[in-house]
């Protein structure tokens, strides 16, 4: 298979940006793809245009989202399904667009029976074959959500339960200049009684679910480093943590940060850069290396102190028994963890036989597992507070990703919250790579025909 066609452009006027992107896509689509099997000649006459498009654009174009979608659909009629959203910044391989009008498009060469676009007018069915789902069973899903939606974290978790693996990926739309819109146009239309829609939505969740035949792998990188050890939440009042390991939470915080309230200016300077990492109890959590946050940790703001009750208020609702660690944003640690994530993906692709099917659907139950898999495309959702500015130079984060993965087709956006597994993250990056199907043996091919 050829890499997924991918293009990006910037221009003050969205029609010009779209024209530049379409020119790039058509040039890539015109290149003959290699044959299905090693040694086969190119087959230019057997190259259908991929039917699924992913679109990310900066908020400069948000007011023109419907016109932009209609334009892309008219220019590429073979692409029957579209998903996407707006971000304060968007990304492509090796480049980031912040505070400028920009557009990025990737065409995913995925079999039509292996994906379903969902939205408020066409919800994702439960993870069981049904008449509503047409027999389709979602293994995982790319999710775009509105941060202003009530109980959005719970909705993400509920959506994840509608997939066979219980894992989704994506992010919350972000905008500073206009509407936080989402794109979700399905060739299958809306469910009966849901009304018509033009494919542009505000609020709620939308995206595309993938079947188990789509080979992909998703990983999370955290942008923070722990300050002290993990503590057990032993007493709390909603979001006010009162005791950690049986001791006053405020005293534990001051000890871990090595500060005192007797020097308020120095203390406040340190507290402004302090965040809180929360995770389930050790029995339910995942192992993590010393000095690193595990993938099960969700980073939240430290939003207040209660000197009277000696409590610490956090922007979450912890549970008794949860693990809590104070942490801080650290560009060096963020870069090291970013490279760690990319290295893990490369290692996994070199030995796919060791991967469970829940992590890399479509690779575990195949006849050939020996050859390294080639990345066809990637989607990267990063926190709006990361990107080049956090890593010290324009486009630095995406250049590090390209250095680690190679110059693979990649698009993404900078979100107001990142989605991975079944939860919302902050200050993180979520990288998902799509992998070419494993080579089939003659016997396996004949069984499929």
């Amino acid at each position: 298979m050829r890499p997924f066609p991918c293009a990006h452009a910037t221009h003050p006027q969205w029609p010009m940006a779209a024209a530049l992107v379409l020119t790039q896509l058509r040039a890539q689509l015109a290149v003959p793809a290699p044959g299905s099997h090693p040694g086969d000649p190119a087959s230019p006459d057997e190259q259908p245009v991929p039917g699924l498009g992913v679109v990310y654009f900066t908020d400069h174009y948000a007011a023109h989202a419907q016109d932009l979608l209609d334009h892309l659909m008219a220019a590429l009629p073979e692409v029957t399904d579209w998903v996407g959203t707006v971000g304060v910044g968007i990304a492509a391989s090796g480049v980031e667009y912040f505070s400028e009008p920009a557009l990025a498009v990737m065409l995913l060469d995925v079999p039509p029976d292996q994906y379903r676009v969902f939205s408020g007018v066409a919800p994702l069915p439960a993870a069981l074959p049904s008449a509503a789902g047409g027999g389709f069973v979602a293994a995982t899903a790319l999710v775009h959500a509105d941060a202003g939606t009530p109980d959005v974290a719970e909705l993400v978790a509920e959506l994840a339960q509608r997939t066979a693996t219980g894992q989704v990926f994506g992010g919350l739309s972000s905008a500073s200049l206009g509407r936080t819109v989402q794109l979700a146009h399905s060739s299958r239309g809306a469910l009966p009684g849901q009304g018509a829609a033009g494919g542009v939505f505000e609020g709620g969740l939308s995206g595309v679910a993938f079947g188990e035949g789509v080979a992909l792998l998703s990983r999370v990188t955290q942008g923070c480093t722990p300050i002290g050890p993990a503590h057990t939440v032993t007493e709390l009042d909603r979001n006010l943590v009162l005791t950690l390991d049986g001791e006053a939470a405020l005293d534990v915080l001051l000890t871990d940060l090595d500060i005192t309230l007797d020097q308020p200016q120095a203390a406040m300077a340190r507290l402004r850069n302090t965040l809180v990492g929360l995770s389930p109890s050790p029995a339910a959590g995942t192992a993590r290396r010393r000095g690193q946050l595990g993938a099960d940790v969700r980073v939240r703001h430290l939003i207040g102190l209660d000197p009277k009750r000696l409590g610490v208020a956090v922007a979450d609702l912890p549970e008794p028994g949860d693990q809590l660690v104070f942490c801080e944003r650290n560009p060096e640690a963020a870069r090291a963890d970013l490279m760690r994530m990319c290295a893990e993906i490369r290692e996994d692709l070199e030995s796919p036989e060791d991967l469970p099917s829940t992590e890399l659907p479509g690779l575990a139950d195949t006849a050939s597992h020996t050859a390294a898999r080639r990345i066809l495309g990637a989607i990267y959702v990063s926190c709006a507070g990361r990107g080049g500015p956090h890593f010290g130079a324009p486009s630095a984060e995406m250049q590090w990703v390209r250095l680690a993965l190679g110059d693979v087709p990649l698009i993404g956006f900078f979100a107001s919250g990142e989605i991975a597994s079944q939860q919302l993250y902050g200050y993180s990056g979520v990288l998902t790579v799509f992998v070419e199907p494993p080579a089939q043996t003659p016997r396996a091919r004949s069984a499929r025909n």
Side-chain angles (χ1 to χ4, degrees):
M1 296 179 65
R2 64 182 169 197
F4 293 164
C6 178
H8 53 95
T10 176
H11 196 278
Q13 300 178 0
W14 73 263
M16 290 301 299
L20 293 169
V21 164
L22 289 167
T23 298
Q24 297 172 55
L25 292 175
R26 290 183 177 118
Q28 295 172 44
L29 290 168
V31 176
S36 301
H37 314 297
D40 286 354
S43 305
D45 296 331
E46 301 178 3
Q47 294 183 78
V49 175
L52 175 62
V54 178
V55 187
Y56 294 128
F57 51 94
T58 58
D59 46 5
H60 296 73
Y61 299 154
H64 307 285
Q66 188 67 64
D67 293 334
L68 174 59
L69 177 60
D70 291 344
H71 183 80
L72 293 173
M73 292 171 57
L76 294 171
E78 303 92 338
V79 183
T80 56
D81 301 274
W82 294 88
V83 297
T85 193
V86 61
V88 293
I90 65 170
S93 181
V95 63
E96 302 164 14
Y97 297 100
F98 272 102
S99 301
E100 60 180 318
L103 168 70
V105 177
M106 178 181 287
L107 305 181
L108 277 60
D109 192 1
V110 179
D113 63 347
Q114 288 297 314
Y115 72 85
R116 291 292 186 277
V117 172
F118 62 89
S119 65
V121 299
L124 183 67
L128 292 172
S130 64
F136 173 77
V137 179
T140 185
L142 168 62
V143 184
H144 304 127
D146 190 322
T149 300
D151 302 322
V152 64
E154 289 77 6
L155 291 175
V156 168
E158 192 275 335
L159 179 67
Q161 295 305 312
R162 292 173 176 262
T163 68
T165 64
Q167 300 196 19
V168 296
F169 60 96
L172 305 184
S173 308
S174 62
S176 61
L177 300 177
R179 303 149 54 201
T180 51
V181 297
Q182 305 164 41
L183 307 184
H185 173 82
S186 173
S187 58
R188 294 174 174 83
L191 293 180
Q194 296 295 314
V200 177
F201 298 88
E202 294 184 64
L205 282 64
S206 67
V208 56
F210 297 102
E212 62 179 4
V214 178
L216 58 84
L217 180 62
S218 191
R219 287 285 186 270
V220 180
T221 176
Q222 301 276 26
C224 304
T225 185
I227 296 174
H231 306 283
T232 301
V233 177
T234 48
E235 185 181 358
L236 51 82
D237 181 3
R238 291 183 59 80
N239 70 323
L240 181 66
V241 179
L242 297 173
T243 64
L244 295 169
D245 303 327
E247 300 182 14
L250 180 56
D251 292 341
V252 174
L253 169 64
L254 297 177
T255 299
D256 283 359
L257 271 60
D258 192 22
I259 59 175
T260 174
L261 295 182
D262 294 334
Q263 299 176 331
Q265 288 187 335
M268 289 306 298
R270 187 76 190 277
L271 288 168
R272 288 191 188 97
N273 293 322
T274 301
L275 301 163
V276 174
L278 297 168
S279 61
S281 62
T286 57
R288 62 180 64 95
R289 295 181 181 178
R290 183 177 179 85
Q292 292 184 356
L293 297 180
D296 60 334
V297 175
R298 59 191 190 276
V299 177
R300 298 294 186 261
H301 284 288
L302 177 67
I303 60 175
L305 306 178
D306 188 336
K308 184 176 180 179
R309 303 176 70 184
L310 299 180
V312 175
V314 302
D316 205 313
L317 293 174
E319 298 282 345
D322 280 358
Q323 296 293 288
L324 183 151
V325 60
F326 299 107
C327 51
E328 61 186 352
R329 299 184 65 193
N330 186 308
E332 291 74 23
R335 184 173 64 185
D337 198 56
L338 178 68
M339 299 304 289
R340 182 271 313 163
M341 174 188 68
C342 294
E344 283 185 1
I345 286 180
R346 299 298 303 188
E347 291 171 3
D348 289 341
L349 295 178
E350 290 172 0
S351 55
E353 68 275 12
D354 298 328
L355 292 172
S357 58
T358 55
E359 284 200 287
L360 196 55
L363 291 192
D365 300 324
T366 54
S368 174
H369 292 159
T370 55
R373 302 292 178 247
R374 183 167 58 102
I375 296 175
L376 298 176
I379 294 176
Y380 188 58
V381 180
S382 185
C383 176
R386 287 168 57 103
H390 182 56
F391 287 85
S395 300
E397 183 173 15
M398 298 314 305
Q399 289 177 10
W400 280 110
V401 172
R402 183 169 65 178
L403 177 66
L405 291 185
D407 194 15
V408 300
L410 181 150
I411 64 170
F413 72 102
F414 291 88
S416 57
E418 303 76 61
I419 297 172
S421 186
Q422 299 183 10
Q423 67 182 32
L424 288 177
Y425 287 81
Y427 304 105
S428 66
V430 180
L431 175 64
T432 304
V433 298
F434 294 82
V435 187
E436 74 177 333
Q440 299 290 313
T441 63
R443 181 179 178 181
R445 288 199 300 270
S446 63
R448 228 178 223 195
N449 293 334

